[in-house]
Amino acid sequence: MSDPGTGAGEPTRPLPLDGVVVLDLGQIYQGPYAGLLLAYSGARVIKVEHPRGEALRGHSHQLPYAMLNSSKEAVSLDLKSPRGRELFIRLADGADAVLCNFAPGVPERLGIDAETLWQTNPKLVFAQASGYGLDGPDAERTAMDVTVQAHMGVMSINGFADRPPVKSGATFIDFLGGTHLYGAVVTALFEAQRTGRGRLVSTSMAEAAYYTLTTSLQAWQMHGVTGRMGNRNAAMSVSPSNVYPCSDGHIALIAAMNSHWRSVLEVIGRADLLGDERLRSNAGRCEHMDEVDELVTAWTSVHTRAEAAAAFGAAGVPVAEVREVTDVVHDDHMIERGFLQWTELDGLGEIPLAHSPLRWHGSDMRELEPYRPVGADNEAIYREFCGLDADDLAALAAERII
């Protein structure tokens, strides 16, 4: 696909956030993911963490840390010390945005909140993610991915009706929060460029999660209740829609449209049912869901998942093999696109690092640079932003401020 802004032979365009400086105070998954998206969109992202390093750097978490903190510069700073607070304010004077996922009230207690930083840098965007928002009755509640899943009804609809609620195996709410934080930062940067004024923006993991309930909300609206439907459609409004056994695993298939159902019948050799009035519509098929699932299972169970996925896929039916994580990290498609990049790192060996899911056509992808050691860029950053020399840095290090 050609890019309308880049003609043949023209040099590639800079990435959209080229020249933007972001201070990343993010921790664990949510904040660092927003910083990663900003970095791969062209921003200069400076990871600011305690001299002991962020908790996610711990040995058992090094792969997630490496994934989420690639292509960032790294400085260390004790924000609880008066000198550390002073240095952070000077860093923020040269930045366009600060992002964090501290609990409500923490930036104020540290003296690095938006109002304080605006005194010397009124254009600064201050973005804060939290579990439940910065105000309201639940603002002070401690939030983790699994507890937000429970609180927001996700666990109540996950799993099978005859078994206890189940959390999602993927920590998707943390990453929903990080994605929304990225969007908030970019939107506020756009406004600051036009008006010269920064803004405090905030995101809530719980509110970001709400939209994932859309299909279950449909069921609630229609029936007044929701429940755990296993792998079937949560609103009981589409059939077939399930995970089906194959001779060597499973496939996930959904026939969202009547044309999909007709294709399913052709694939499984049951074209004789094309005229069955009971099964012509999704509503009818949902009334006979067990029968529909048995029809599909009878065919899939004697084929491999690759055979089944290929046959349904060729017929235009939405389908995928249920793959293991080891299959995903070796996915040829994502490797060829440069999204997955197997990288050799000291102490970790060769691991799969991921690039951004955002693509900026007309610009080269930013090079994936492995994460930096704690404080690796202290000298360069503090010299550039704060005018410190080697003696200053040595004194700060001796006091364990950096």
Side-chain angles (χ1 to χ4, degrees), residues 310-373:
F312 288 121
V317 180
V319 65
E321 298 179 44
V322 177
R323 301 195 297 174
E324 302 291 338
V325 171
T326 189
D327 299 320
V328 175
V329 298
H330 291 96
D331 182 272
D332 290 338
H333 174 77
M334 290 189 290
I335 290 172
E336 183 174 330
R337 281 173 47 81
F339 176 74
L340 285 179
Q341 300 183 24
W342 281 80
T343 306
E344 186 76 32
L345 294 180
D346 290 343
L348 293 179
E350 192 176 25
I351 61 172
L353 295 181
H355 209 280
S356 173
L358 305 175
R359 294 299 170 97
W360 307 106
H361 294 261
S363 299
D364 292 333
M365 292 175 66
R366 177 171 177 170
E367 183 179 351
L368 191 157
E369 303 162 6
Y371 75 100
R372 309 274 284 158

Side-chain angles (χ1 to χ4, degrees), residues 244-252 267 296-313 319-322:
Y244 297 97
C246 297
S247 61
D248 62 346
H250 296 80
I251 61 165
V267 169
V296 178
T297 297
W299 186 88
T300 61
S301 60
V302 296
H303 292 81
T304 67
R305 61 181 188 169
E307 292 169 343
F312 288 121
V319 65
E321 298 179 44
V322 177

Side-chain angles (χ1 to χ4, degrees), residues 9-83:
E10 293 183 12
T12 59
R13 298 160 61 181
L15 288 163
L17 297 184
D18 182 52
V20 170
V21 177
V22 178
L23 301 182
D24 179 356
L25 293 168
Q27 304 172 83
I28 312 298
Y29 292 171
Q30 183 178 198
Y33 184 59
L36 185 77
L37 293 177
L38 290 163
Y40 285 141
S41 299
R44 181 185 183 185
V45 178
I46 301 170
K47 173 85 174 182
V48 182
E49 57 191 320
H50 192 276
R52 291 193 300 269
E54 190 212 320
L56 198 61
R57 277 191 188 264
H59 179 71
S60 63
H61 298 101
Q62 284 188 10
L63 192 151
Y65 187 92
M67 286 177 57
L68 297 175
N69 293 285
S70 299
S71 301
K72 301 177 184 179
E73 296 168 77
V75 299
S76 56
L77 188 60
D78 181 2
L79 292 171
K80 293 183 178 180
S81 70
R83 181 65 169 139

Side-chain angles (χ1 to χ4, degrees), residues 10-180:
E10 293 183 12
T12 59
R13 298 160 61 181
L15 288 163
L17 297 184
D18 182 52
V20 170
V21 177
V22 178
L23 301 182
D24 179 356
L25 293 168
Q27 304 172 83
I28 312 298
Y29 292 171
Q30 183 178 198
Y33 184 59
L36 185 77
L37 293 177
L38 290 163
Y40 285 141
S41 299
R44 181 185 183 185
V45 178
I46 301 170
K47 173 85 174 182
V48 182
E49 57 191 320
H50 192 276
R52 291 193 300 269
E54 190 212 320
L56 198 61
R57 277 191 188 264
H59 179 71
S60 63
H61 298 101
Q62 284 188 10
L63 192 151
Y65 187 92
M67 286 177 57
L68 297 175
N69 293 285
S70 299
S71 301
K72 301 177 184 179
E73 296 168 77
V75 299
S76 56
L77 188 60
D78 181 2
L79 292 171
K80 293 183 178 180
S81 70
R83 181 65 169 139
R85 172 184 175 276
E86 176 190 335
L87 286 172
F88 185 80
I89 292 172
R90 292 173 69 180
L91 290 175
D93 285 348
D96 299 289
V98 170
L99 71 84
C100 68
N101 55 314
F102 292 143
V106 171
E108 289 78 7
R109 289 196 293 273
L110 293 172
I112 59 165
D113 55 286
E115 292 288 347
T116 299
L117 300 179
W118 285 334
Q119 292 176 21
T120 52
N121 185 357
K123 288 185 63 175
L124 187 74
V125 170
F126 193 100
Q128 185 172 357
S130 64
Y132 298 98
L134 302 186
D135 56 14
D138 289 334
E140 300 298 324
R141 293 186 62 168
T142 301
M144 297 291 284
D145 190 288
V146 66
T147 61
V148 177
Q149 286 190 40
H151 183 76
M152 292 304 295
V154 175
M155 288 174 63
S156 75
I157 59 173
N158 203 33
F160 292 86
D162 60 346
R163 303 176 201 174
V166 179
K167 74 176 183 67
S168 167
T171 51
F172 73 98
I173 290 180
D174 273 328
F175 289 93
L176 275 176
T179 303
H180 283 74

